[in-house]
Every structure is written in structure tokens, then in C-alpha cells.
Amino acid sequence: MKTNHRVEVALTALLFLHATYKFFITDASLVVDLIGYNAIALAIGLLLLRNRQVIDRTALTALLLGFSFWLSGSLLASFAFFFEFNRAWFSVANFLYLCFYPCLVIGLPRSIRLPKKLSSTEFLDAAIVTAGLSSIGAALLIEPFFGKSSGDSVATFFAIFFPIADLILLTIGTSSLLAASINKRSITIISGLVLFVINDFSFLWELSHKRYQFGSIIDDGWLFGLLLITLGIAQRQEKLMASEVVPPILITFAIFSAATLLVLVALDSQRFPRFCIAPIGITLLLGFLRMAIALKSAESASVDRQLARVDELTGLANRREFIWQLQQSARIGTSSILLLDLDGFKEVNDQYGHEVGDELLRAIAHRFLRITPESDCLARLGGDEFALLHSGEISDAREFALALRATLSYPFEIQKQLINVGVSIGVVSHNGGEDLLARVDEAMYRAKRQGSGVEVII
């Protein structure tokens, strides 16, 4: 722990030393700005690697990958400047910087508020928000803030992407931090994010007004931001809360904004730059895809909930569903409970086997169901025990119990075997009491002991 602290202090001091040097000496230096600057960036990445026990593996992988993209972009841009590579190399460097953002969008919230698992929808949600806010920036912010497009489509793309990506990163990071807790750790991370974003906007402003000079002190702002993020993550947090990577309100806002902008562009195409159509279209396309996934998930969840309340063997309601129906029926009027236990089923199971027993249970359920009114709930509680919630007075329930018993008066033909079984039925009135199941169970066992077939307890 002490070693980590010494490394953090030494790295912070080295960065301050580098920034102080650049404050007084603005000329670009091969040693200071190519070797020294990128060595400090590499050290920040290595410092993050030492924190592998602080955050989960997915978050660490995403953050390290993001830092690697950023460092690769920095190295390529530095080499391109000092050795006078053509402009294409700067575009490649910008693309590497671009890859930095999706990695942090995934890794940073996971390091603050740990999601239960990483799903493909997290990537889709992040893409929707990125494209949606990019469409807003392209339509409303880029030209007023950074000036007219130079005509270079690649430069225009990066000019649109970087400020919007900064805002997305800051929004998602801030929402995750605020939802977790406000403490020294969260303040350090949010300070690093804010510093990184401010420095990015300052760089873009200077660049758009042709005042940016490579190797100036403004370059150190990015390193200070990354260092603060790394130092914040390094501070151990005892409890990580489960969360979504992208807040749903951001997704809704992004899709709504894109749809609104599309209408505005259609009404007045001269007012908005043409390049804003692309992020608008991407946002809406991803939004429809996300909606399709959500509908499919909702349908699957509905099926799962339904299956959880259905007996797999007979297709009747199961015990859970029957208990729920009992609780609901207490509020809507008079009803009765019937508990049915088969007579002679165990002997059939022992003689013919479980396969025949299962077929017999399905056939019995079918006979019971044929005479059961739609308003009643017939359930298999387990084994050879059935239950029925009958909407009616106790006298009606007794008559219905006799009808159910009569359905088993003739044999079943199962796998060319004629099989006879009977049923003992207990009947009680649904008075809403806690002893309801115990009372109907007592009535059923009385019918079985006495051989009467049906017993009613008033």
C-alpha cells in the first residue's frame, strides 16, 4: 500500500514538473514532448493496472484498453509532428482517440457502480446515446461554437464527435457517481472527468481558431485528467451498487431529440448542416433495434412468468397460482374450496410405472377440466392431489364435487391398459381464514377414511 502511494506521489510530481517546464518553455522538444510526455501517459496506465483488485475484471479491461488507445494516438500524433508525417497519420491518431471513449463509457460506470453482468444491450444503449447527442451537437452546437466546416469531411467528423463524446462521458460518469455516493473517491474521479472534458474543449477551441501549438501546456491537461481518474479508482470502495451503464432517461432523450431534429430538418433543410442527417438516422435505427430487443425480452419474461404458474405435467395451474387465486377470491364474494386426492393411484404407479402414471394424471386433468366452469380455478398441487376454487355456495360446491367424482366412474385406457381410479374430495366454504387449507385437507381425509367420496365441512 505504501509503495502504491509513493508511486502515485512521484508520478504526480513528475507531471507537475513537466507542466511547469511547458509553462515557461513552449517550444516543442523531442525529449520532453515525445519521450517524456508519453512516458508519463504510459506510467498512468501502469498505475491503473496495479489496481486490478479494486475494480472488476471487465471494468479494468475496458479502462486499460481505452488508455491504450489514447496512448497509441498520442504516440502517433507526436511522431507525425516531429517527423513530418502526412495528414493521414493525424487522422489515424484521431481515430485511436475516438476509440478511447466507448471503452470509458463501459469501464468507468462499472468501476463505480458494478452491474450484475455485461450485456450486449449496454453497448447498444451507449451507441444510441452517442449518436443521439451527436446529432444534437451536429445540428445546433458545432457550427456556432467551432465555426463553419472547412469542407474536410474527416475533420468535420472529428470536430463533431469529440465534444459530444466528452459530454456523454461526463454525463454517464456523473450520474453513476451521484447514484453511488459522494465521497473522496467520487470527487476525485469526477474532478478528473471534468478536467479532461474542459481541456478537450479548450484544445478544440484553440484548434478551430488556429491558436493551438503542439507541445504547449494545454497537452498536460489531458494527463492531469487521466491521472485524477486513475487515482480515484485506486481508492477502495467497500460497496459497489448494481446499476445500468446508461441511464434510461438519456436513451429516451437521445431518441426523442433525434426524431424531433429529423422533422425540423425536413421542414427547413437550409438551416441545418447536411452532415447531421447521418447521426440522426443512426440514432433512430438503433432505437428501433433496441425497442425490438426490449419487446422480445418483455415477451420472454411474460412467458417465464406464465410458466412459473403452470403445472408442467398437466397444464393446469400449479400450487403457487392456486394460492394466489385464493388470496384474490377472498375479495370478490362467495366461493368454495375443493381438495381432491386420487384413490388407487399409488398402486397404478407401482404396477405400470411412472410413465403410465403421468399419462393417467394428464387424462384425469382433462376429464376434470371438461366440466369445470371457466370462472373456476382447477390446479394440480403436486403428486396425485388436485384443488379447485369454485365460485358458488357450499351447496353448489358439493353437487359439483359429486360431478367431478362421477367423471372417474369409467376406466381410462392408457397404453392399451384399462385403469380404474377413484377420488376423495373435501369441500369447505371460503371464509378467508388462515386455516382454510388445513380445514379442506381435514375434510378430504375424512372422505378418504370413511369411504364416502365427498365430505363437506361447514
Side-chain angles (χ1 to χ4, degrees):
M1 194 69 179
K2 291 183 178 180
T3 304
N4 277 354
H5 181 67
R6 290 171 184 170
V7 171
E8 292 169 2
V9 171
L11 186 55
T12 304
L14 184 61
L15 184 52
F16 269 106
L17 183 63
H18 185 275
T20 303
Y21 177 86
K22 297 309 300 181
F23 180 79
F24 293 103
I25 302 176
T26 58
D27 294 336
S29 165
L30 184 68
V31 174
V32 175
D33 297 303
L34 174 61
I35 300 175
Y37 182 86
N38 290 293
I40 295 174
L42 177 61
I44 294 175
L46 294 175
L47 182 62
L48 177 64
L49 182 60
R50 292 173 65 93
N51 298 324
R52 56 185 177 274
Q53 294 181 347
V54 178
I55 56 179
D56 77 323
R57 183 174 299 179
T58 302
L60 180 62
T61 301
L63 291 174
L64 285 175
L65 190 60
F67 273 57
S68 299
F69 280 127
W70 194 91
L71 177 60
S72 299
S74 175
L75 281 169
L76 189 57
S78 301
F79 274 103
F81 175 81
F82 283 107
F83 299 103
E84 299 181 352
F85 294 170
N86 60 40
R87 289 182 57 83
W89 290 100
F90 286 99
S91 296
V92 175
N94 280 330
F95 177 76
L96 292 170
Y97 287 137
L98 179 151
C99 295
F100 162 83
Y101 290 94
C103 295
L104 258 70
V105 165
I106 294 170
L108 199 58
R110 288 186 67 91
S111 66
I112 301 165
R113 302 179 70 209
L114 182 64
K116 293 181 180 178
K117 70 173 186 175
L118 185 66
S119 65
S120 58
T121 56
E122 290 180 6
F123 295 97
L124 186 58
D125 291 343
I128 291 172
V129 174
T130 301
L133 296 188
S134 295
S135 65
I136 298 174
L140 306 176
L141 302 178
I142 298 302
E143 286 192 0
F145 192 81
F146 295 107
K148 292 287 183 181
S149 171
S150 63
D152 185 343
S153 59
V154 176
T156 301
F157 169 78
F158 288 121
I160 295 170
F161 181 88
F162 285 125
I164 301 304
D166 284 329
L167 293 177
I168 292 171
L169 184 60
L170 184 60
T171 302
I172 293 175
T174 304
S175 62
S176 297
L177 287 163
L178 293 177
S181 60
I182 302 298
N183 50 37
K184 182 181 178 182
R185 182 178 191 269
S186 62
I187 292 174
T188 305
I189 295 177
I190 196 62
S191 298
L193 275 175
V194 171
L195 180 58
F196 188 92
V197 169
I198 291 176
N199 197 77
D200 229 18
F201 270 84
S202 300
F203 162 75
L204 292 170
W205 176 269
E206 293 287 317
L207 190 65
S208 64
H209 291 80
K210 297 180 170 42
R211 294 202 297 255
Y212 172 71
Q213 181 179 351
F214 183 87
S216 62
I217 192 174
I218 196 172
D219 293 349
D220 289 284
W222 286 308
L223 292 184
F224 275 113
L226 295 176
L227 179 60
L228 281 175
I229 293 172
T230 302
L231 293 178
I233 290 173
Q235 299 176 36
R236 189 173 298 276
Q237 181 165 298
E238 295 299 327
K239 292 183 179 180
L240 293 173
M241 301 171 59
S243 73
E244 295 170 318
V245 168
V246 182
I249 187 66
L250 274 181
I251 302 170
T252 304
F253 175 74
I255 296 175
F256 177 78
S257 300
T260 303
L261 283 174
L262 184 62
V263 174
L264 294 176
V265 170
L267 294 175
D268 188 0
S269 60
Q270 300 300 319
R271 176 172 295 184
F272 300 95
R274 286 178 295 176
F275 51 72
C276 73
I277 297 295
I280 290 175
I282 292 172
T283 304
L284 295 179
L285 179 63
L286 293 175
F288 281 118
L289 179 60
R290 184 67 174 87
M291 183 175 65
I293 293 174
L295 289 174
K296 186 176 180 180
S297 299
E299 183 180 353
S300 298
S302 177
V303 171
D304 290 341
R305 286 194 296 270
Q306 184 177 357
L307 291 176
R309 293 179 177 271
V310 173
D311 176 57
E312 293 182 3
L313 180 63
T314 62
L316 301 178
N318 61 13
R319 178 181 288 273
R320 178 185 298 177
E321 174 67 10
F322 184 75
I323 296 299
W324 184 83
Q325 293 285 352
L326 279 182
Q327 295 170 349
Q328 299 303 308
S329 64
R331 310 171 188 172
I332 60 176
T334 304
S335 59
S336 303
I337 316 298
L338 287 74
L339 185 64
L340 303 86
D341 190 82
L342 300 180
D343 299 328
F345 178 78
K346 183 179 183 303
E347 290 76 7
V348 172
N349 231 8
D350 293 341
Q351 182 177 352
Y352 298 106
H354 291 289
E355 184 178 345
V356 171
D358 289 347
E359 286 193 40
L360 178 60
L361 287 173
R362 283 192 287 266
I364 292 171
H366 180 67
R367 287 193 189 180
F368 286 163
L369 198 58
R370 278 193 306 180
I371 67 167
T372 300
E374 291 185 3
S375 58
D376 292 359
C377 175
L378 176 63
R380 176 174 174 250
L381 303 185
D384 61 344
E385 192 173 62
F386 295 81
L388 191 138
L389 176 62
H390 180 64
S391 54
E393 298 287 348
I394 191 71
S395 57
D396 296 333
R398 186 181 187 281
E399 294 300 321
F400 186 63
L402 292 173
L404 285 170
R405 193 164 184 265
T407 62
L408 304 188
S409 60
Y410 55 98
F412 295 87
E413 185 175 351
I414 307 292
Q415 296 184 8
K416 299 181 180 181
Q417 301 289 334
L418 291 179
I419 300 174
N420 285 285
V421 291
V423 62
S424 298
I425 305 175
V427 183
V428 299
S429 179
H430 189 348
N431 60 3
E434 295 182 358
D435 62 340
L436 189 61
L437 293 178
R439 288 173 55 232
V440 73
D441 194 60
E442 179 187 347
M444 185 272 294
Y445 275 109
R446 185 185 298 177
K448 189 176 286 289
R449 286 194 306 269
Q450 296 179 358
S452 58
V454 175
E455 282 292 326
V456 178
I457 294 181
I458 304 298

